Amino acid sequence: MKKQVLFLTSLITLATASFAQENLIVNTYNRLSTSLNGSWKYIVDPYENGYYNYRYEPFDHQKNPGKAAFFMNSKPDNPSDLVEYDFDKMDSISVPGDWNTQKENLFYYEGTVWYKKSFDYTLTKKSNRVFVYFEASNYKTEVYFNGQKLGIHIGGFTPFNFEVTNMLKKTDNFLIVKVDNKRIKEGVPTLNTDWWNYGGLTRDVKLIETSENFIQDYFIQLDPNDNKKIKGYLTLNGKDIAHKRVQIKLPELKVKKKLITDENGTVSFEIVSNNINYWSVDNPFLYNVIIQTEEEEIKDQIGFRTIQTKDSQILLNEKPIYLKGISIHEESPLGNGRGYSEDDSKQLLEWAKELGCNYVRLAHYPHNEHMVRLADKMGMLVWEENPVYWTISWENEETFSNAENQLSEVINRDKNRASVIIWSMANETPTSNARNIFLTKLANYTRNKDPTRLISAALEQSDYQGNKFIRTIDDPFADVVDILSFNQYIGWYDGLPEKCSKISWIIEQDKPVLISEFGAGAKYGLHGDKDERWTEEYQENLYVKTLKMIDKIDQLQGFSPWILVDFRSPRRVLPEIQDGWNRKGLISEDGKKKKAFFVLQDYYNNITSPIKE
Ligand code: GCU
């Protein structure tokens, strides 16, 4: 019996391990691709009946899974054949998009939904390879192609891809995806969050066609210690990648760099130039970058800038900068539910620009790639965050590798984006030994992977030596981060706005300080006394008082109030006020600006020399 259990577990780990995710392909926006967006068939499967047999054994762990397995897309061979599902007779759902706002009966649904897409495909070149690429899918995704399992992905906000070259047919290919958005304690995020747990294929799905040996990954950024030097590496993927000639061209810099890959198909390089037009918020200049091999060419648009801290200042291209920010959740400002499109991102960033911002905090998870590519073009600085939120299972090894994996995916995807300046490890996590170790390991991992950006996390403030009217940051992780950030809700969760005038701050760390959140709830159109909660006047007053209070923080170099737009949260149930929405937005869910919007706009537009020495 014991031997049997051991063997089974090793089989499962083997199975899971062998289906782990392949190396991420970067810059899919500039590659040969075929969109699989549009209408998909779906089956709602709360009992995971299409995945487990009645003995609760996974079909995809069996040599012959049989027709009952939904990923086989089976049809009865004859009238007496027993098949108890049929994708093609099912309802359709749009991809990309969450299922909660598309199907009324799935609004609160947390569980498994199966998606099916059929398609024909003709290679443009016989030797080419094909990958299926998901920009994101929430939360646990198992992918099957023509009845075979490709792999598993955990995490709802980062991309993943699987190769299908050897399984591809000219006609009648079927891609079946099991998406399960059930919240679990060991998950990242864990059980409780203050945002809607939108489920499904929430971002684009596409086929990427590459040459046999292709440019899989590259990192091209300025050396943080020498802004005349562009540094980087690139990696080829294929059977014939050793000692290959590669060329990098930057036409605007008149650079043509010839390189040879090593035996692993990788090469690092440096390009020195005195004529670099540095990317900045006032000059979001992007260079055309062309990478060529004997088999293929890929283009990208990359900005070059340095971002550093010096004592309590943040330096962009070696000049102090003040971050005039706002926090944003990835909800569609135009439609409904989880945002995913370029238009969604454009609207959110234009509202931030209108507010007078030069910086946005993308909370609490990686947003879609359109957001950071638009921020590059618009000259908007970006804080990206890993969904390590509130009470994660700090001692759980799998939870850690899950958090690390999600971080590696967003870094891989966005490491060439000039706009992205801060990687945030977590939000409002309670200090403990296990938590400190967990976050420090994540920070070290990030520094190794990307030494060109700054590390932070949304910490929490506390009383200074027991004095309620003096606040401070008493958190061991504050010693690890480059930028000290914290959320504070004085005047909302902690007293009334008047309290702000009684509060002073003692922050001992000689680091730049960013306030990652402050705010108050207000229902658009509800007016009353400034001490009457939920009125626009209360929120307006909170902003006025808070801006005065935080101005007293010596090291303050910016902030990102909570939040640009009202957003859905299952934790917000107050009738006629919240009705499922967190009302701390400066803009209502239907795009109407509240009074506090103009308080902040005025502050940002009239801020003269905010930078603290
Ligand atoms: C927290 C948290 C947010 C939440 C906000 C609120 O600080 O980080 O996710 O939405 O407070 O309570 O509105």
Side-chain angles (χ1 to χ4, degrees):
M1 180 58 183
K2 195 155 175 313
K3 239 205 232 86
Q4 205 179 7
V5 172
L6 268 177
F7 169 71
L8 264 180
T9 31
S10 59
L11 186 67
I12 289 171
T13 28
L14 179 66
T16 322
S18 63
F19 286 134
Q21 201 231 315
E22 287 165 16
N23 294 332
L24 193 64
I25 299 173
V26 299
N27 187 14
T28 60
Y29 284 30
N30 293 299
R31 289 183 192 263
L32 175 59
S33 71
T34 306
S35 174
L36 292 179
N37 289 351
S39 171
W40 289 50
K41 290 295 183 183
Y42 73 102
I43 300 177
V44 182
D45 187 12
Y47 283 44
E48 299 180 280
N49 186 48
Y51 184 76
Y52 295 105
N53 64 17
Y54 81 120
R55 286 278 177 265
Y56 217 66
E57 297 155 337
F59 287 122
D60 64 13
H61 287 174
Q62 289 153 22
K63 256 202 163 5
N64 306 311
K67 290 190 173 181
F70 285 7
F71 53 79
M72 298 306 288
N73 192 27
S74 311
K75 302 283 182 190
D77 293 337
N78 54 60
S80 59
D81 204 2
L82 175 61
V83 178
E84 297 185 273
Y85 67 92
D86 185 338
F87 273 105
D88 298 321
K89 291 199 178 116
M90 298 303 284
D91 183 19
S92 298
I93 193 165
S94 291
V95 170
D98 61 84
W99 60 60
N100 312 71
T101 55
Q102 289 191 63
K103 307 294 173 184
E104 208 174 327
N105 61 357
L106 296 180
F107 187 61
Y108 287 103
Y109 181 66
E110 296 184 297
T112 284
V113 170
W114 294 84
Y115 287 78
K116 197 271 293 186
K117 183 76 171 178
S118 296
F119 60 91
D120 302 342
Y121 193 86
T122 307
L123 283 169
T124 58
K125 188 173 161 205
K126 202 162 169 312
S127 62
N128 277 358
R129 298 164 64 188
V130 177
F131 296 78
V132 59
Y133 183 95
F134 297 83
E135 292 203 16
S137 166
N138 190 44
Y139 171 75
K140 181 178 179 184
T141 307
E142 294 174 76
V143 184
Y144 305 84
F145 187 64
N146 292 344
Q148 293 198 50
K149 186 154 192 179
L150 298 179
I152 299 177
H153 183 263
I154 307 274
F157 308 100
T158 46
F160 54 100
N161 47 247
F162 299 107
E163 181 158 13
V164 294
T165 312
N166 304 334
M167 302 165 217
L168 200 59
K169 299 181 293 179
K170 274 203 175 323
T171 58
D172 302 327
N173 294 289
F174 57 92
L175 178 62
I176 292 187
V177 188
K178 175 184 186 295
V179 185
D180 181 356
N181 75 332
K182 265 198 302 297
R183 288 167 293 119
I184 55 170
K185 182 157 181 11
E186 302 73 28
V188 179
T190 181
L191 292 167
N192 60 341
T193 70
D194 191 26
W195 68 81
W196 206 271
N197 182 26
Y198 293 113
L201 296 175
T202 50
R203 295 182 193 154
D204 292 12
V205 182
K206 55 193 164 190
L207 297 168
I208 307 284
E209 187 171 328
T210 72
S211 60
E212 205 169 351
N213 304 289
F214 70 96
I215 304 159
Q216 178 185 329
D217 188 19
Y218 55 86
F219 188 7
I220 307 178
Q221 284 284 289
L222 269 187
D223 179 341
N225 309 314
D226 177 353
N227 66 2
K228 301 261 180 306
K229 193 186 286 177
I230 295 170
K231 273 180 89 166
Y233 64 78
L234 66 87
T235 304
L236 303 184
N237 178 318
K239 294 200 178 64
D240 181 17
I241 55 175
H243 316 302
K244 286 290 166 198
R245 279 178 302 132
V246 178
Q247 181 165 247
I248 298 186
K249 292 198 277 188
L250 288 91
E252 291 97 353
L253 262 184
K254 301 190 178 39
V255 165
K256 266 190 190 169
K257 183 96 180 171
K258 293 189 186 316
L259 303 160
I260 302 284
T261 58
D262 64 14
E263 61 285 355
N264 305 316
T266 293
V267 61
S268 299
F269 56 84
E270 293 182 354
I271 297 165
V272 176
S273 167
N274 292 320
N275 313 314
I276 296 172
N277 178 2
Y278 295 109
W279 182 97
S280 73
V281 289
D282 310 319
N283 173 48
F285 184 78
L286 299 176
Y287 280 90
N288 286 304
V289 176
I290 301 155
I291 306 173
Q292 293 166 327
T293 68
E294 288 135 18
E295 291 183 37
E296 68 167 12
E297 171 181 292
I298 188 164
K299 293 182 175 153
D300 205 344
Q301 301 73 37
I302 299 180
F304 298 116
R305 54 95 189 95
T306 59
I307 187 76
Q308 296 150 311
T309 64
K310 184 168 165 290
D311 305 329
S312 66
Q313 291 188 322
I314 300 172
L315 306 179
L316 176 65
N317 298 325
E318 298 171 1
K319 290 196 219 63
I321 184 152
Y322 193 86
L323 302 185
K324 303 185 282 183
I326 191 75
S327 293
I328 301 178
H329 253 304
E330 188 187 42
E331 283 204 341
S332 170
L334 309 167
N336 199 358
R338 178 69 65 213
Y340 58 78
S341 70
E342 186 163 9
D343 291 344
D344 289 332
S345 301
K346 195 159 172 289
Q347 178 62 76
L348 292 168
L349 290 178
E350 280 172 356
W351 275 337
K353 275 270 179 196
E354 194 185 336
L355 198 50
C357 295
N358 61 5
Y359 162 66
V360 290
R361 173 186 178 214
L362 304 183
H364 293 290
Y365 39 77
H367 291 206
N368 63 76
E369 191 172 345
H370 295 298
M371 199 65 160
V372 289
R373 284 192 175 268
L374 274 171
D376 263 16
K377 291 188 183 123
M378 293 167 74
M380 188 69 86
L381 297 164
V382 173
W383 155 307
E384 289 213 79
E385 187 159 292
N386 203 27
V388 172
Y389 181 94
W390 288 349
T391 47
I392 294 283
S393 302
W394 308 111
E395 321 230 5
N396 184 311
E397 270 311 309
E398 272 199 28
T399 301
F400 179 79
S401 46
N402 176 358
E404 189 183 63
N405 182 54
Q406 293 188 47
L407 204 46
S408 80
E409 289 167 354
V410 65
I411 296 173
N412 271 336
R413 187 192 76 182
D414 296 343
K415 59 184 181 292
N416 293 309
R417 305 280 77 77
S419 56
V420 179
I421 56 166
I422 301 170
W423 299 119
S424 166
M425 300 300 111
N427 179 75
E428 290 188 353
T429 50
T431 56
S432 72
N433 208 23
R435 172 264 197 185
N436 304 340
I437 293 168
F438 189 111
L439 295 189
T440 304
K441 278 172 32 181
L442 284 181
N444 296 341
Y445 171 82
T446 305
R447 282 210 173 92
N448 271 332
K449 203 169 168 60
D450 177 12
T452 70
R453 292 181 175 83
L454 304 172
I455 304 263
S456 191
L459 305 179
E460 293 180 296
Q461 44 88 32
S462 52
D463 304 349
Y464 184 74
Q465 294 171 356
N467 180 336
K468 286 200 168 320
F469 295 102
I470 305 178
R471 298 299 166 87
T472 189
I473 305 300
D474 178 14
D475 184 328
F477 194 56
D479 302 334
V480 177
V481 294
D482 301 308
I483 294 184
L484 201 54
S485 307
F486 60 89
N487 301 348
Q488 66 84 24
Y489 281 92
I490 295 161
W492 181 254
Y493 293 124
D494 176 359
L496 296 174
E498 302 340 325
K499 186 169 183 175
C500 290
S501 57
K502 302 189 186 74
I503 300 287
S504 60
W505 299 81
I506 295 182
I507 296 178
E508 280 144 357
Q509 295 84 353
D510 182 21
K511 291 183 180 184
V513 166
L514 283 181
I515 295 185
S516 29
E517 287 180 36
F518 70 79
K523 173 87 187 224
Y524 174 78
L526 187 62
H527 295 286
D529 181 75
K530 64 179 177 35
D531 276 347
E532 190 186 336
R533 288 200 181 243
W534 307 114
T535 61
E536 290 194 40
E537 287 71 22
Y538 188 112
Q539 189 188 45
E540 178 187 38
N541 183 33
L542 184 271
Y543 271 73
V544 170
K545 296 284 188 306
T546 301
L547 292 170
K548 272 209 195 82
M549 171 185 70
I550 60 178
D551 211 28
K552 291 185 275 179
I553 299 174
D554 296 342
Q555 304 99 315
L556 188 70
Q557 301 301 353
F559 47 88
S560 52
W562 194 256
I563 185 164
L564 183 62
V565 188
D566 290 355
F567 62 96
R568 274 208 178 85
S569 167
R571 301 175 73 247
R572 309 296 170 170
V573 295
L574 185 62
E576 294 148 24
I577 299 278
Q578 295 176 318
D579 297 317
W581 295 88
N582 182 312
R583 293 289 180 201
K584 295 192 181 69
L586 294 176
I587 302 174
S588 66
E589 76 277 15
D590 51 1
K592 301 199 182 75
K593 297 182 176 76
K594 304 174 191 177
K595 282 183 165 184
F597 179 99
F598 303 103
V599 171
L600 189 60
Q601 184 187 52
D602 183 53
Y603 184 90
Y604 281 158
N605 291 342
N606 298 307
I607 200 168
T608 42
S609 61
I611 294 162
K612 305 268 173 54
E613 297 303 328

